[in-house]
Every structure is written in C-alpha cells, then in structure tokens.
Amino acid sequence: KIENQQAVIRKNKKYGLIRLDESVVIPLQYDSICVRGNFVRALEELAGRSSWNLYDTFGIRKSHTSYEWMDDFNGSFFPVKSRGYYGAMDRYGVERIACVYDSLIDMRDGMVSVRFRNQYGIINLEDQWQMMPQKYSFRLLDAGHLLERIDSLVYLKSLDGNVLYFTDNSLSVTPHYLIERLPDGTEKQINFQGQIIQRNEPSPGHVDLRFRESEGYIGIKRDGKFGFVDHRGRLRIANRYDSIGEFHGGIAPVKLLGKWGFINASDQIVIQPTFETVEDFNDGVARISRSGKYGLINSQGNILLDLRYDSIRRLSGQLFLIKLHGLSGLADKNGKLLIEPRFDSLELIDEQRVIVSRAGLFGVLTSEGESVIPIQFNLLQYLQGRNQFLTRDGSFWQTMDLH
C-alpha cells in the first residue's frame, strides 16, 4: 500500500515501511503495521506476547513504552492496554490516562466513561474523576449528561447526580435529544436538560381517580400511577409517579421510588426526590422531612430551616411552631429561628405575640422572643376583642391591659 510517498512492504512474514526511493523508514521486523495519517502503529510478537509501539512517518518512535494493545487514534488519544488494564496515550507518546481501568467505554466532549474495579465512572482527559465509580452502568450523552438504567427505569442525569428526567418507556438517542415512545404510540422529544421540546397530547382515556384542579392542572391516577391532565382532559404530565400533590407556584410534589421531590409544569424535576414527606408549597414555603426530622424548603430547593426538628406546624402565613425534644419554639417563613424550642407550650395570639409556658407557669413573649408578661402565672388566657389577659397567680385572679 502506497501512501504519502511511502509504502508498507512485507518480506519473510515481517512488515516495514519504506519511501519510494527504497530508503527505510521502519525496518522489516514487525508482525503488523497500521498507517493512519502521520502515525504508524507497529505490532511485534515477542515470546508469544504482543508488543505495540507508535511511530511517526519519519520513523521516529513516539511511544515511551510498549503496550499489549493499541487502537487507532480517536481524535484525542490512542486507547492502549498494559498488564491487562486500559488507558490512553496522546499523539506525542505520553500516557495521559493511566492503564488502571477495566475498560474505556466511550468518549464524549472530552469526557471518558470507564469501568473501574467492576464499577462505572467518568474521567476527563487529564485522568481526573468527574463522576466517581458506581455500580450501575450508563451511557454518556455529552460532557454533562448521561443515561442510567436502574431496574425498569431509565434516568437522564447530570454528572453531579441530579435526576433531570426518567421513564420506563423505550428511549432512543440522537445527537441532541432523546426520543421517548409511549405504549399508546405517542412520541416525545426530550433535550439533555430534561425539557420536553416536542410532544403529542393524547387523551388519557379512562382514569381511576381524579383530583381537584390547581393552577390549570388536574391530578389523575391510572393503572396505579399518578400524573396530570389539563381542564380539557389532555394528558400534560404522564402518569408515572407513585403519588402527587397539587401545583402551587408552578411546582407540585411527586413521589418517585419511595421519595418525594417536586416537578414543574414541564415535567422537569426541580427539587430532587430525597424526602420522606413533603407538603404543597404555600406562600413559597413547604414543610419537608427526612429520617424522621422536619425542616422548611423554598421553591428554589434551598433549605430554609434545617431538618432537625421533631415536628413543624404552620401557625399562620408567616410563622411556624417547631418542636424539639418535646419543647416548643417559633420560626418564620424565611427559616429564621425567632424563639428557641425551650418552652412546654407555645400558643399564637397574633403575628406579634405568643403565650408560652414553662414548668407550669405562663407568660407572654413577642414573636421575636422578647418578654411582654413575665413567665410567672399559674394560668394565662387571652381575652379576644378586649386586648386583655386573664391571669391567675396562686388563687388570685386579675386582668391585665396591654398598650
């Protein structure tokens, strides 16, 4: 074969590379030679073992060591194998990815999916982990996204592990989006950010359960799974969730694989399903729990109040009763701790005042925790409409005015 004014020749079952003037570029000592562009991969069988080396077309050896196996240049590196493990060598012969991997699976946009000690992860071209090894295999889509199958579900995830989309339907991959095919023949196109960019909207047909409408979406249950239709009965969010709540502020709680998270009206997961319980958002705040402890979250997914309390109950639009180790306190909707949980009971009078008790004695605090009436009375009751308190100290009753 003649290429670039050079030719691969064979003599006595050995191969080499010469110029057309018959000067030798690579001597006839190799069992195989592969020429691609400016590179020459040369195989020599030594004592029954394969030894691959890389040369350029000037006959200069580029590889710093020999390999058991060497594949063609893929635009970024030469896949190589040494001591039974796989790595990568650059065009200058430098081993950029160490030969420590069970296999190099795929490369996309400078990211390489690998198998390492029978687990699956992602490295970059500098041999740095971008996703640590895990037990489930996946398909790398681009530098930031992958498809992972767990049992019957396929998940579209970002490299940091966030679930962007999931389905138990058939998925096919194109260079820029996924195609999901539903059992009724519907096809949806989903981009790698988990957004549905094109879809049909067939009627959901018979449903087992229908909920009340909220923000134009009606929850349904069909075939044991939950989804949403619009007021015309068109399927807007496929019935694929274990349970659902209502849309408030453009997002709704959903249960997936035993955990609760939130989706938006485009069926994108906006808050990852990691909670044991959640409630619908009210005024931009929702109560959540994990491992039996409660906290508050906003609609951006930010934890407002740490998940450390035994219970949380909304007292008004702004205030929440919190309990820890049997004691009561107060927090606001922004997660600010107004009154530490140190009282036996706490009763809201209005947005500015609360009645508290400790060791059988009652008093009044502001909602910021400042004393209004000292905690010294055996009984204290607010007289609605009169802005007065009825108190008892021992056997003595009196009313107190507040100004």
Side-chain angles (χ1 to χ4, degrees), residues 137-294:
S137 62
F138 56 83
R139 177 173 179 176
L140 188 61
L141 299 176
D142 60 18
H145 304 92
L146 57 89
L147 278 182
E148 179 182 73
R149 177 176 289 277
I150 302 177
D151 299 326
S152 63
L153 293 176
V154 179
Y155 295 87
L156 171 62
K157 291 184 174 182
S158 59
L159 258 58
D160 57 10
N162 285 333
V163 176
L164 306 176
Y165 193 81
F166 73 95
T167 182
D168 58 357
N169 295 315
S170 171
L171 275 181
S172 56
V173 180
T174 75
H176 303 294
Y177 58 87
L178 308 172
I179 299 175
E180 179 183 7
R181 293 177 175 85
L182 279 63
D184 63 2
T186 300
E187 288 191 356
K188 294 191 290 185
Q189 293 181 6
I190 303 105
N191 65 20
F192 293 163
Q193 288 72 46
Q195 300 166 325
I196 299 172
I197 55 178
Q198 184 174 327
R199 64 179 290 169
N200 296 325
E201 298 179 346
S203 169
H206 170 75
V207 297
D208 303 321
L209 190 63
R210 186 182 295 262
F211 302 93
R212 69 178 185 178
E213 182 176 345
S214 178
E215 297 186 357
Y217 286 79
I218 303 167
I220 61 166
K221 180 182 181 183
R222 184 180 67 175
D223 300 329
K225 294 291 184 178
F226 294 81
F228 292 89
V229 298
D230 62 18
H231 67 282
R232 294 172 58 184
R234 297 176 300 180
L235 186 65
R236 303 306 301 270
I237 295 175
N239 53 302
R240 58 198 184 118
Y241 295 100
D242 301 330
S243 189
I244 55 174
E246 294 183 351
F247 272 94
H248 291 279
I251 58 179
V254 295
K255 190 176 186 181
L256 173 65
L257 296 177
K259 299 291 185 181
W260 285 89
F262 292 85
I263 60 170
N264 62 19
S266 299
D267 199 12
Q268 291 176 280
I269 295 176
V270 294
I271 298 176
Q272 292 294 307
T274 62
F275 304 108
E276 291 174 358
T277 65
V278 299
E279 63 179 13
D280 295 333
F281 273 95
N282 185 338
D283 200 19
V285 180
R287 185 183 62 167
I288 53 175
S289 76
R290 184 189 294 139
S291 301
K293 296 295 183 180
Y294 291 81

Side-chain angles (χ1 to χ4, degrees), residues 330-354:
L330 195 68
D332 68 12
K333 60 173 289 187
N334 298 314
K336 180 181 178 182
L337 192 60
L338 303 175
I339 299 175
E340 290 281 351
R342 64 180 187 274
F343 297 101
D344 297 328
S345 67
L346 186 150
E347 177 188 352
L348 184 67
I349 299 172
D350 51 36
E351 293 288 335
Q352 287 76 43
R353 297 170 298 180
V354 294

